[in-house]
Amino acid sequence: MITTVGRLRPGVPSTLNAFCLKDYEEGTSPHLWGFPNYERNTLKASFYNQGRVLASFRKNYYPAYYNHIYATYNRENDYTIINVYFPHVDERCNRLFALDTGYLRYSPTLSYDVQYPALLVYGLPANGCQTRNFPLIRRIEIPKHLWTLSLGFITVTLDYQPKGSCEDVILYICNTLDNSLVVYDYKRGDFWSFVDDSMKPILSQTAVYFKTFTFYVPLGLSNIVLGYPDKNGDRNAYYGPAASSVEYVVTTKLLKNKRAAYKYNREYFTPIGYRGCGAERFKQVFDPETGVIFFGEANSHRISCWNTRLPFNPDTIGVVFESDLLLYPADMFLDTEGFLWFLTDQLPIMYNTADFLDTSEINSRLFRVNAFEAIKGTICDID
């Protein structure tokens, strides 16, 4: 099991972590260990010198530099994993994809911008729990001309190409603060990006109501999910800003075209509907078994669903789980056994205040439900 602990306060020993399920009995509490190890996660004292921006950790790019950076950055001691939020386990090719923001944000007034954001790719060998050896396959920094706020790099979506190998995959990397989508051709080692108004937050929907206070988070594009492929291997890419109830779609045929990033018809980014009041969501996932997209809604404290074969409007949105315990559904994912997982945390407190968490309370909850069973009796179950 791979998990992360955001470095939102000093004292976090490792941001990227893991534990082995078979080491624990059901109902017990696992102990996390740094992934791939603690040494790779250890922050250096020099990160905190010279105030906010550390010029010594900034690197100058030359033409085509990022196409070859992984060839030189596989050396053991070239980098530290600074801050990871949403890792992606690639079960098709047994790899872990993680975005390191390179940014420490300890409070609204205390932050350190120490490294360029980077994509990390580690191998997940079958005997990894025994050996604790997870080889670095690739580390590549995201070129500076494609971003302004590195803290916004949080999610990555994999788009395997038809009849391709593990190298034939396109990555869609969301920057929720720059309101942009960075595309990475894994095989060719090439980057480009799209910026569109549909990726921006709706200012009237930036309020999140959490416990006893309200905070405003103008978050844009948070993640992209991919529908079924057509005969050419192109898919519908569904997305929306976190601070919005509108859902959009764009074809991956456009996103995979680097030349289109510089000149394209903005009508390709199409709104398909509105979920309803209070239905802002941070994360969504697509279930290929049922054709259903699940949404984690912060203000309504619920997990909702929509069958992609239906029109998109409040009448076609179902609810699969609703509870006051679902304070802030920060992450969601589907595993290969058909289970939908969703996680709640205390991000509003950590992001908007300088307070520390009350360790006498339960600050995070992880839920799991069979996706097929979850939609039974809802409008999403149309078979």
Side-chain angles (χ1 to χ4, degrees):
M1 178 72 78
I2 307 293
T3 186
T4 61
V5 179
R7 282 189 162 121
L8 298 172
R9 295 292 184 275
V12 176
S14 55
T15 180
L16 189 56
N17 305 275
F19 66 90
C20 296
L21 291 175
K22 64 181 180 181
D23 291 346
Y24 299 92
E25 295 181 359
E26 185 175 350
T28 60
S29 296
H31 296 276
L32 304 181
W33 38 269
F35 182 99
N37 51 55
Y38 279 114
E39 181 182 8
R40 185 55 62 212
N41 281 269
T42 299
L43 298 177
K44 302 172 184 177
S46 56
F47 290 168
Y48 302 94
N49 296 334
Q50 304 174 26
R52 182 180 176 86
V53 178
L54 306 180
S56 61
F57 292 95
R58 292 307 201 181
K59 300 176 176 63
N60 296 319
Y61 289 99
Y62 51 81
Y65 176 72
Y66 56 84
N67 285 333
H68 307 286
I69 194 171
Y70 56 80
T72 58
Y73 263 72
N74 283 344
R75 296 198 304 270
E76 275 301 302
N77 298 311
D78 276 338
Y79 71 96
T80 295
I81 303 176
I82 304 298
N83 214 348
V84 176
Y85 289 102
F86 300 104
H88 181 94
V89 174
D90 173 20
E91 297 186 76
R92 173 170 172 170
C93 294
N94 298 319
R95 298 180 293 190
L96 174 70
F97 288 78
L99 292 172
D100 183 4
T101 68
Y103 195 97
L104 297 171
R105 187 187 188 278
Y106 286 153
S107 75
T109 59
L110 182 61
S111 60
Y112 300 89
D113 199 3
V114 296
Q115 289 181 176
Y116 276 119
L119 171 72
L120 300 169
V121 186
Y122 285 98
L124 296 175
N127 64 346
C129 274
Q130 289 74 41
T131 65
R132 301 284 179 92
N133 181 23
F134 303 95
L136 177 67
I137 298 174
R138 184 175 300 192
R139 180 186 186 272
I140 183 164
E141 294 183 343
I142 301 175
K144 182 62 181 72
H145 69 277
L146 296 180
W147 56 272
T148 301
L149 299 170
S150 62
L151 185 62
F153 285 115
I154 54 173
T155 63
V156 57
T157 300
L158 275 57
D159 183 9
Y160 277 101
Q161 301 308 292
K163 301 179 181 179
S165 67
C166 290
E167 299 292 301
D168 293 304
V169 58
I170 304 294
L171 275 59
Y172 306 119
I173 301 171
C174 296
N175 190 320
T176 191
L177 295 179
D178 281 349
N179 312 316
S180 66
L181 177 68
V182 173
V183 182
Y184 177 54
D185 187 324
Y186 190 87
K187 187 174 184 178
R188 294 178 173 83
D190 202 3
F191 283 98
W192 59 92
S193 69
F194 289 88
V195 179
D196 189 79
D197 287 345
S198 62
M199 303 174 187
K200 297 179 180 179
I202 296 176
L203 296 182
S204 62
Q205 293 184 258
T206 59
V208 175
Y209 307 102
F210 186 81
K211 293 184 176 180
T212 60
F213 66 94
T214 301
F215 70 101
Y216 296 88
V217 185
L219 297 179
L221 180 66
S222 55
N223 81 306
I224 276 182
V225 299
L226 305 179
Y228 298 116
D230 62 19
K231 62 181 180 180
N232 298 315
D234 300 320
R235 303 169 184 263
N236 279 338
Y238 300 94
Y239 69 97
S244 171
S245 294
V246 180
E247 189 76 4
Y248 296 86
V249 68
V250 62
T251 174
T252 59
K253 182 178 181 180
L254 175 73
L255 300 181
K256 291 183 291 187
N257 186 345
K258 181 178 180 178
R259 286 181 293 182
Y262 303 99
K263 185 178 181 180
Y264 62 91
N265 188 335
R266 294 191 179 273
E267 292 182 0
Y268 283 118
F269 294 87
T270 307
I272 59 173
Y274 170 72
R275 277 188 303 278
C277 295
E280 298 85 3
R281 63 96 187 91
F282 186 75
K283 196 77 180 290
Q284 62 188 45
V285 296
F286 176 76
D287 178 16
E289 295 298 320
T290 60
V292 168
I293 295 179
F294 295 92
F295 308 92
E297 300 179 4
N299 283 328
S300 64
H301 308 301
R302 68 185 188 183
I303 304 298
S304 60
C305 63
W306 170 62
N307 195 308
T308 54
R309 287 170 286 184
L310 295 174
F312 194 100
N313 58 62
D315 293 333
T316 60
I317 303 296
V319 177
V320 301
F321 182 76
E322 189 170 13
S323 172
D324 288 339
L325 296 178
L326 204 64
L327 287 174
Y328 190 81
D331 197 10
M332 302 177 67
F333 69 93
L334 271 159
D335 64 25
T336 53
E337 296 181 355
F339 284 97
L340 174 69
W341 300 69
F342 44 99
L343 172 75
T344 69
D345 63 24
Q346 306 287 324
L347 181 64
I349 292 176
M350 301 298 287
Y351 196 83
N352 291 273
T353 76
D355 298 339
F356 284 81
L357 295 180
D358 184 349
T359 56
S360 66
E361 296 182 353
I362 297 175
N363 290 297
S364 296
R365 288 181 170 88
L366 182 63
F367 300 82
R368 188 185 76 162
V369 64
N370 181 277
F372 183 78
E373 295 294 329
I375 65 172
K376 282 188 174 180
T378 73
I379 194 170
C380 303
D381 184 13
I382 62 175
D383 289 333

